[in-house]
Amino acid sequence: MQPENGRNDQGTRSFIEEARRAQIVRAATEPIAEIGYAKASFAQIARRAGISPALITYHFANREALIKQVMVSVHSSMDADLTLKTDKAPGYLAALRGLIEGYVHYCAEHPRELIAISRIAANATEAREWAEQQQVATITELADMFREGQQRGEFRTFAPRVMALTLMAALETAPRELFEHPETDVGAYAGELATIFERAVRKT
Amino acid sequence: MQPENGRNDQGTRSFIEEARRAQIVRAATEPIAEIGYAKASFAQIARRAGISPALITYHFANREALIKQVMVSVHSSMDADLTLKTDKAPGYLAALRGLIEGYVHYCAEHPRELIAISRIAANATEAREWAEQQQVATITELADMFREGQQRGEFRTFAPRVMALTLMAALETAPRELFEHPETDVGAYAGELATIFERAVRKT
Amino acid sequence: MQPENGRNDQGTRSFIEEARRAQIVRAATEPIAEIGYAKASFAQIARRAGISPALITYHFANREALIKQVMVSVHSSMDADLTLKTDKAPGYLAALRGLIEGYVHYCAEHPRELIAISRIAANATEAREWAEQQQVATITELADMFREGQQRGEFRTFAPRVMALTLMAALETAPRELFEHPETDVGAYAGELATIFERAVRKT
Amino acid sequence: MQPENGRNDQGTRSFIEEARRAQIVRAATEPIAEIGYAKASFAQIARRAGISPALITYHFANREALIKQVMVSVHSSMDADLTLKTDKAPGYLAALRGLIEGYVHYCAEHPRELIAISRIAANATEAREWAEQQQVATITELADMFREGQQRGEFRTFAPRVMALTLMAALETAPRELFEHPETDVGAYAGELATIFERAVRKT
DNA sequence: GATGAATGAGTCTTCATTCAT
DNA sequence: CATGAATGAAGACTCATTCAT
């Protein structure tokens, strides 16, 4: 009998429950990144996790739910990592550079996760909607940051949303480049990218 | 029976044959853009084209062949359109601006096609390989353009490949934005994007 | 509009009609022998005949009808050939030898036709029924021949039907052997086979 | 999901797994014998087995695998049965008679199985290859037996291969005759057939 | 908690057959 | 007479999902 997908009466999940879910989510990431969303079947994922396919359905209501959880997990662990690195920058220009370099380095360390979520975003309807909301939020945050930078006089006048979109796009293209060209000098890549946007936003 | 996938002895296709192929390719574009590559089944495409699923197989050897043709068609009509608009720019900075603005305007006119090929590129093996070669070529061209601009002294010193990747990413994000926010002022979007890269590459 | 499958008001077929049918039947034989009954599609047959698949349906009511005609044609041309060679044997033993040797030589000359009909017999229901009637007739004839030979005192006492079945089987296995082992000495094969049955039927 | 076609880590199959496979193989035999290899679809077989077509794919990698298993199973159970009956014959003539009579009696008991494999052998590529190897081996064995019998002086001089082929053909025609004429006196049939070959091989 | 067995819905594809031209 | 275009029925096969154990 299903545990109403892992929640008991208090809506919480047991420890072991949570551990299994995490294991499955992790096991799902690689096949998606490597053979694509469509071919990453439960059979594939289960084999990699060393469990039976039926167990996936036991822990996740359906495929969409699992896929969405992959997105959520990758996003949240990335957020956790990046929040540590950025926050305490001395100004907006510096914060921008910090953000970009932090993200690029994160990409270099977790290429598969990020490729997986890009694959998911291109396919899974429900997960994409969630991701789009996230993205809307992120873009809004970035745009706000740009706007504030402009108000403080650190940034020139430009359309914050266009800049935010462009930055997002530039960041999201990093994982694949780093994955497909592992010889890339990550620090240089990060620095160049930061410089591009620094010049794009700064006055003069 | 099959017309050996549409080629007669001279390797040509009849007019009606060509028209059907084009119709099917067009009909395939929308579902791919809207519900994703994986769910755009023959049944979906055929329903939208008002034909039977078997007719698709009659005109295309298999799914991959259809999908690839979608890519090729979109690319070639885009190339045709863009080639007209660009070429005769008076310098590298102007060429860059012309390229960006031209592309953005094209996106505004054909958002579904471009979204479709981005979805395909994220999934279809054979079509992706073709698309990746195209992309590699495009990036190389862009990088070459940047390099030449540097040699002519119009551009500052920067890593051409990183700039090319970033530009590609920025361009490829345009269709979705314009599709999802139809109220966007296309001219302004194009101008802002061009300015971003202008500042990113120019000296001073 | 269909010519009621090639028959005009008098139930006859025009010359050209007949020629096409013969051409199609001939063209059908080889693919069946070579790639098997199941894979010998109209497309295959039509390509080999240099006509369109639709024309086959135009001349034959359906697949079964074509297949059956292949059987009928092969049988009748074989009968025509063998009748010439056998009839005037001086006795039953000699007739038996003549029959066997004639058949084996015919196999050596027309292996594909005979392989084709064996393939058909193993599959096509309607054609098989016709072939079985033929076979019943042939076996009856052979059995009658054996019975007469016994009455004339040329043959020993044995069950004519079992002998007839065995002879049929032995004859029908010849085409494949000759086709797969083209180096076989046909005359020797025919002689050995004739001797086997000679010894099986003769007195002492 | 699929049990990697029925094999667990030790390469073994569970009892229930094995039982289902056997059931499916049995269920496949009849349609093949009755309506032919080509028309014995998964749907047919599944209906007769009282299971869903998908379950066949669950237990067998693909159609070829199932078909081959039918061949293998029939052959092995026949071999097991015949080995018991023959072996201890006092001489080559007696062995020959024992073989023929044993086989004919086996045919009388399992006509459908033997008809099925003859149908398969005429069609299925992969299974046919396996069957042809078996047949080649059998013919070689028979030919060797004849050759030895000649060396021992029990048999007259004749071409062993032709005799072996003829015997094979005679044996393989038995199932159909016994199936279509159930009133046949099996013992008489077997005896007559044995006598035919006895006379064909013996000296004098 | 976990799984092996089973299935139904859905995939692409093949093919004989139809029909307007 | 002949065919290119088109289709419906059927094929094997995939896969997320269910359920008894």
Side-chain angles (χ1 to χ4, degrees):
Chain A
M1 50 203 72
Q2 286 166 297
E4 296 190 20
N5 293 116
R7 285 195 176 79
N8 61 15
D9 296 341
Q10 292 92 47
T12 63
R13 290 194 189 89
S14 75
F15 171 72
I16 191 161
E17 187 42 49
E18 205 59 70
R20 267 278 188 248
R21 283 175 61 94
Q23 178 197 9
I24 294 169
V25 166
R26 249 178 290 120
T29 308
E30 283 205 20
I32 294 172
E34 280 163 25
I35 60 178
Y37 171 79
K39 288 185 185 162
S41 65
F42 276 23
Q44 290 274 343
I45 296 168
R47 180 151 13 98
R48 207 168 293 226
I51 59 172
S52 97
L55 190 55
I56 301 179
T57 302
Y58 179 76
H59 285 288
F60 294 89
N62 51 36
R63 190 173 204 257
E64 284 278 319
L66 165 60
I67 295 300
K68 184 175 165 181
Q69 189 56 44
V70 173
M71 284 228 94
V72 172
S73 296
V74 173
H75 271 264
S76 76
S77 74
M78 183 172 67
D79 285 356
D81 188 286
L82 290 187
T83 309
L84 287 177
K85 292 183 187 165
T86 28
D87 271 6
K88 61 250 176 162
Y92 284 89
L93 267 176
L96 179 61
R97 174 167 291 270
L99 172 76
I100 294 170
E101 294 187 341
Y103 185 90
V104 172
H105 280 102
Y106 189 84
C107 290
E109 290 154 20
H110 305 269
R112 269 187 274 278
E113 278 97 323
L114 293 166
I115 290 172
I117 63 173
S118 80
R119 291 256 161 98
I120 292 170
N123 287 285
T125 311
E126 197 181 320
R128 183 162 78 243
E129 276 158 20
W130 182 89
E132 272 167 11
Q133 288 175 352
Q134 289 294 108
Q135 221 184 16
V136 165
T138 307
I139 286 170
T140 306
E141 276 177 50
L142 288 174
D144 288 348
M145 183 194 72
F146 288 132
R147 208 167 285 113
E148 286 173 36
Q150 290 174 329
Q151 284 160 1
R152 297 292 171 92
E154 276 193 62
F155 295 166
R156 69 174 176 98
T157 302
F158 55 81
R161 182 173 174 83
V162 177
M163 187 66 73
L165 284 165
T166 307
L167 177 53
M168 272 300 270
L171 293 176
E172 285 176 344
T173 215
R176 189 160 280 150
E177 173 71 3
L178 295 177
F179 183 70
E180 286 171 3
H181 297 265
E183 74 284 5
T184 306
D185 175 341
V186 179
Y189 187 102
E192 287 278 340
L193 196 57
T195 300
I196 288 172
F197 282 93
E198 208 169 70
R199 298 180 63 98
V201 302
R202 78 174 181 206
K203 290 184 141 174
T204 73
Chain B
M1 238 278 99
Q2 284 165 290
E4 297 192 20
N5 295 114
R7 286 198 173 77
N8 62 16
D9 296 340
Q10 292 96 49
T12 64
R13 278 187 255 266
S14 75
F15 170 72
I16 190 161
E17 166 83 15
E18 204 60 70
R20 266 277 186 254
R21 282 176 61 95
Q23 179 198 3
I24 293 170
V25 166
R26 249 179 290 120
T29 307
E30 285 204 20
I32 293 172
E34 282 164 26
I35 58 178
Y37 168 80
K39 287 188 181 163
S41 65
F42 277 24
Q44 287 273 344
I45 296 168
R47 178 150 20 94
R48 205 168 292 227
I51 59 174
S52 91
L55 190 57
I56 301 178
T57 300
Y58 177 74
H59 286 289
F60 295 89
N62 50 37
R63 193 174 199 259
E64 283 280 317
L66 165 59
I67 295 300
K68 185 173 169 181
Q69 189 56 46
V70 172
M71 288 228 86
V72 172
S73 295
V74 172
H75 266 112
S76 75
S77 73
M78 182 173 67
D79 285 355
D81 188 286
L82 290 187
T83 309
L84 288 176
K85 292 184 188 166
T86 29
D87 272 5
K88 62 250 173 161
Y92 284 89
L93 268 176
L96 179 61
R97 175 167 290 271
L99 172 76
I100 293 170
E101 295 188 340
Y103 185 89
V104 171
H105 281 101
Y106 189 84
C107 290
E109 291 153 21
H110 307 270
R112 276 190 206 64
E113 278 98 322
L114 293 167
I115 291 172
I117 64 173
S118 78
R119 292 260 161 93
I120 293 170
N123 287 283
T125 312
E126 196 181 321
R128 173 142 109 252
E129 275 159 22
W130 185 88
E132 270 169 9
Q133 288 176 351
Q134 290 292 112
Q135 219 185 19
V136 165
T138 307
I139 287 170
T140 307
E141 277 179 50
L142 288 176
D144 288 347
M145 184 194 72
F146 288 132
R147 209 168 283 113
E148 288 173 35
Q150 290 173 328
Q151 286 160 359
R152 297 292 173 90
E154 278 193 62
F155 295 165
R156 71 174 174 96
T157 302
F158 55 81
R161 181 172 176 84
V162 177
M163 188 66 74
L165 284 167
T166 306
L167 176 54
M168 270 300 267
L171 294 175
E172 286 176 344
T173 215
R176 192 159 288 154
E177 172 71 2
L178 295 175
F179 182 69
E180 286 171 2
H181 297 266
E183 75 283 5
T184 306
D185 175 342
V186 179
Y189 187 104
E192 286 279 340
L193 196 58
T195 300
I196 287 171
F197 282 93
E198 207 170 72
R199 296 179 65 96
V201 302
R202 79 176 179 204
K203 288 184 141 173
T204 76
Chain C
M1 58 202 69
Q2 285 165 298
E4 296 189 22
N5 293 115
R7 285 196 175 76
N8 61 16
D9 296 342
Q10 292 93 50
T12 63
R13 291 194 189 88
S14 75
F15 170 72
I16 190 161
E17 183 48 45
E18 206 59 72
R20 266 278 186 249
R21 282 175 61 94
Q23 177 196 9
I24 294 170
V25 166
R26 248 178 291 119
T29 308
E30 283 205 19
I32 294 172
E34 280 164 25
I35 60 178
Y37 170 80
K39 287 185 185 163
S41 66
F42 275 25
Q44 290 273 342
I45 296 167
R47 180 152 12 100
R48 207 169 293 226
I51 59 172
S52 97
L55 191 56
I56 300 178
T57 302
Y58 179 78
H59 286 287
F60 294 89
N62 51 35
R63 191 173 203 259
E64 283 279 320
L66 165 59
I67 295 301
K68 183 175 166 180
Q69 189 56 45
V70 173
M71 284 228 94
V72 173
S73 296
V74 173
H75 270 268
S76 76
S77 75
M78 182 173 67
D79 285 356
D81 188 287
L82 289 188
T83 309
L84 287 178
K85 293 183 187 165
T86 28
D87 271 6
K88 62 258 174 150
Y92 284 88
L93 266 177
L96 178 62
R97 175 167 288 272
L99 171 77
I100 293 170
E101 293 187 341
Y103 184 90
V104 172
H105 281 102
Y106 188 83
C107 290
E109 291 153 20
H110 306 269
R112 269 185 274 280
E113 278 97 323
L114 293 167
I115 289 172
I117 64 173
S118 79
R119 291 256 161 99
I120 292 170
N123 288 284
T125 311
E126 197 180 320
R128 183 162 77 243
E129 276 159 19
W130 182 88
E132 271 167 12
Q133 289 176 353
Q134 288 294 110
Q135 221 183 16
V136 165
T138 308
I139 287 170
T140 307
E141 278 179 48
L142 288 176
D144 288 349
M145 183 193 74
F146 287 132
R147 209 168 285 112
E148 288 175 35
Q150 289 173 329
Q151 286 160 1
R152 298 292 173 90
E154 277 194 63
F155 295 165
R156 69 174 176 96
T157 303
F158 55 80
R161 180 172 176 83
V162 177
M163 187 66 74
L165 282 166
T166 306
L167 177 53
M168 271 301 268
L171 293 176
E172 285 175 345
T173 214
R176 189 159 281 149
E177 173 71 2
L178 295 176
F179 183 70
E180 285 172 3
H181 297 265
E183 75 283 5
T184 306
D185 175 341
V186 179
Y189 187 103
E192 286 278 340
L193 196 58
T195 301
I196 287 171
F197 283 93
E198 209 171 70
R199 297 181 64 98
V201 302
R202 77 174 180 208
K203 290 185 141 172
T204 72
Chain D
M1 237 276 101
Q2 284 163 289
E4 296 192 20
N5 294 114
R7 285 195 175 79
N8 61 17
D9 296 340
Q10 290 95 50
T12 64
R13 279 188 254 265
S14 75
F15 172 73
I16 190 162
E17 165 83 18
E18 204 61 71
R20 265 278 188 252
R21 282 176 62 95
Q23 179 198 4
I24 294 170
V25 166
R26 251 179 290 122
T29 307
E30 285 204 19
I32 294 172
E34 281 164 26
I35 59 178
Y37 168 79
K39 286 189 182 163
S41 65
F42 276 22
Q44 288 273 344
I45 296 167
R47 180 151 17 95
R48 205 167 292 227
I51 58 173
S52 93
L55 190 57
I56 301 178
T57 301
Y58 178 76
H59 286 289
F60 294 89
N62 50 38
R63 192 173 199 259
E64 283 278 318
L66 166 59
I67 294 301
K68 185 173 169 182
Q69 189 57 45
V70 172
M71 287 227 88
V72 172
S73 295
V74 172
H75 270 233
S76 76
S77 74
M78 181 173 68
D79 285 356
D81 189 286
L82 290 188
T83 309
L84 287 178
K85 293 184 187 163
T86 28
D87 272 6
K88 61 246 174 167
Y92 285 88
L93 268 177
L96 179 61
R97 174 167 289 271
L99 172 76
I100 293 170
E101 294 188 340
Y103 185 89
V104 171
H105 281 101
Y106 189 84
C107 290
E109 291 153 22
H110 306 270
R112 278 190 204 65
E113 277 98 322
L114 292 167
I115 290 173
I117 64 172
S118 79
R119 291 259 161 95
I120 292 170
N123 288 283
T125 311
E126 197 182 321
R128 172 141 108 253
E129 275 158 23
W130 184 88
E132 269 168 12
Q133 289 176 351
Q134 289 292 111
Q135 218 185 18
V136 165
T138 307
I139 288 171
T140 306
E141 275 178 52
L142 289 175
D144 287 349
M145 184 195 72
F146 288 131
R147 210 168 283 113
E148 288 175 35
Q150 291 174 327
Q151 286 160 0
R152 297 291 173 89
E154 280 193 59
F155 295 165
R156 70 175 175 97
T157 302
F158 55 81
R161 181 173 176 84
V162 177
M163 187 65 75
L165 284 166
T166 306
L167 177 53
M168 270 300 266
L171 293 176
E172 286 176 346
T173 215
R176 189 158 290 153
E177 171 71 2
L178 295 176
F179 180 69
E180 286 170 3
H181 297 266
E183 76 281 6
T184 306
D185 175 342
V186 179
Y189 186 103
E192 287 279 339
L193 196 57
T195 301
I196 288 172
F197 282 92
E198 208 170 69
R199 296 180 66 98
V201 301
R202 77 173 181 208
K203 291 186 138 170
T204 75

